[in-house]
Amino acid sequence: MGKIAINIATGSIQKEEIIVGIDLGTTNSLIAIVRGDTHEPIALKEIDGLTLVPSIVHFDEYGNTTVGNPAKELLIAQPERTIYSVKRLMGKSYKDVSTDAGFFAYHIIDDNTDALVKIQVGQKFYSPIELSSYILKELKKRAEHILKTTISKAVITVPAYFNDAQRQATRDAGRLAGLDVLRIINEPTAASLAYGLGAKKGEEKTIAVYDLGGGTFDISVLTINDGIFEVLSTNGDTYLGGDDMDNLVARYWQEDPGEGNSDLGFGSSIDKTLMQQLRVTAEKAKIHLSNNDVFESEINGTPVRITRQEFNDLIQPLVDRTITACANALRDAGIKKEQIDAVVMVGGSTRVPLVKESVSKFFGRDLYDKLNPDEVVALGAAVQADILAGNNTEMLLLDVTPLSLGIETMGGLMDVLMPRNSKIPNKAGRQYTTQKDGQGSMRISVFQGERDLVADNRKLAEFELTGIPGMPAGLPKVEVSFLIDADGILKVSATELRSGVAQSIDVKPQYGLTDEEVEKMLLDSLTHAKDDIKIRALVEATTEAQQMLDTTENFLSKYRDQLTQEEVETTHTRMQILREAMTAKDKDRIQHETEILNDVSRPYAERVMEGALKDAMKGKKIM
Ligand code: AMP
């Protein structure tokens, strides 16, 4: 089965279509693959030799788009047509971003509502999803050009703190770009994977991922346990990064260009173009100082100079802020510094020597910094893609359940044992009991979906637990457990704990479900959320009422002779009224009538039980 393709770029034979890994960044994006021949992850390079594509989209007056470096060049000249940092707007409403609206030079529609933001360029409006899809399309195009094959499947990374809306927006952007997004994974998880951390069976590790990019800083603490990554805490600053270092250097020159002389031509009022030149040179200085002790140049004929020591003094407060965030992240995770097994460095700004020294000193250990910090996230995404493609059997498959898994309980309700997005492998269990006296078997029906009624979900399997010894209703303890192994196979078992009777079945949870079907099921659950809550409440009230009726009936048949004629009559009347409420499917009435029946029967039930107790105690000594 499967088609065979030859990868012209690497000369190797590919059994299946390549799945790419994409780092969709705030400042830069890039795409990576795992080489079929060497099994090593590599970032894809165009003939320009560059792997990074600036996450910038420019629109000309006809609506044509340019992405990446050519767009970056238009940032100053056409600020209102050149969109940057769109990742900051993903899945957000105007209310969410109103406080940092000053950061954006382009026009964000201010309708002051909870609706998702739109960006206006000329006469047209774009959503962040569309804008991101232009970046993804460019990456896809590059990859297809380099690999000489079509690309339609991808793994995309997002920050660990991204919520569901932001993750969904990223997924949608992928789809718009013509990519089937097989998995959205956390950036710190990807960075760890790129170093092969925690991908081996049985491995347990606690990792800190320090990510200092151009404009953002994130620190994440994660644990890896047998292939399952769990984010324990995140901290950081969404407006702290290499750009701030550049600004500090630019301002330093503006005030004192390097000769200790404060009047070398910049003065206090400098125009936009000069400020931009200062910033560009400042970035050059910063990068130069990562490997040298002094930087010297000139701007418009004015000499500028800065030493590594001066630069370090300037950025020290900024670095200190990141260290404080690291301490906070550890505190939130409930982890001591000494418990961290590895510190992974991500983002271009971690090349700054002072940053490395400070982080290494704080954690008291060597850093994982051998891979290119700009590429490490994309490389990790490629590793994940390779695992999904089934090419890497050494590593565990890290996966999550796309939909909730549960069983049918009384009244056709869905009882979720494993919520959607649960990591796999995984296990979950819950105890159930019987409804009827002497009930000898129990039907276990397994469903997948987000709706409250199993009828609206998808049945995966069904089996009968038989041989439960006769016991009064409510006494048997039936433990139902779900176990999903690393291959996504679900094993459902049921055991009656008192007798040890057991039964189990294997299910393949995703079998036959396409991405579209999963999506439709999720959408349906959102659209029907309100109806579902109502139905669930009615079903629960009805179930409780039925139990009350059964118990009362049972009691009457056993102890009728100890009740007055009036008690029996009132009870029958109330039972009849309750049945009518149930037929009318009126939840409030059902609940009300159940309470009344309970109130009516309680006094005589207590009296009878007390009598029975006295009889039982007769002639016995209380110890
Ligand atoms: P990122 O957002 O991860 O792509 O990081 C981009 C940031 O890294 C920018 O602020 C760059 O100026 C900075 N950067 C790139 N190379 C170096 C370097 N060699 N030394 C210091 N900073 C660098």
Side-chain angles (χ1 to χ4, degrees), residues 26-28 52 211-216 241-246 283 286-291 311 346-353 373-374:
T26 311
T27 334
N28 294 304
L52 298 184
D211 181 349
L212 188 62
T216 59
D243 298 348
D244 298 287
M245 300 183 185
D246 305 346
E283 186 183 8
K286 172 185 74 178
I287 292 173
H288 183 78
L289 291 176
S290 288
N291 295 306
F311 174 71
V346 181
S349 301
T350 58
R351 292 201 185 88
V352 172
D374 287 319

Side-chain angles (χ1 to χ4, degrees), residues 417 427-430 479-483 490-495:
L417 272 87
K427 60 171 187 272
R430 194 166 293 161
E479 167 94 22
V480 174
S481 56
F482 279 22
L483 193 104
L490 170 70
K491 189 188 185 85
V492 180
S493 56
T495 312

Side-chain angles (χ1 to χ4, degrees), residues 153 156 196 286 291 372 556 622:
K153 295 190 173 119
I156 304 182
K286 172 185 74 178
N291 295 306
N372 182 335
L556 284 186
I622 295 176

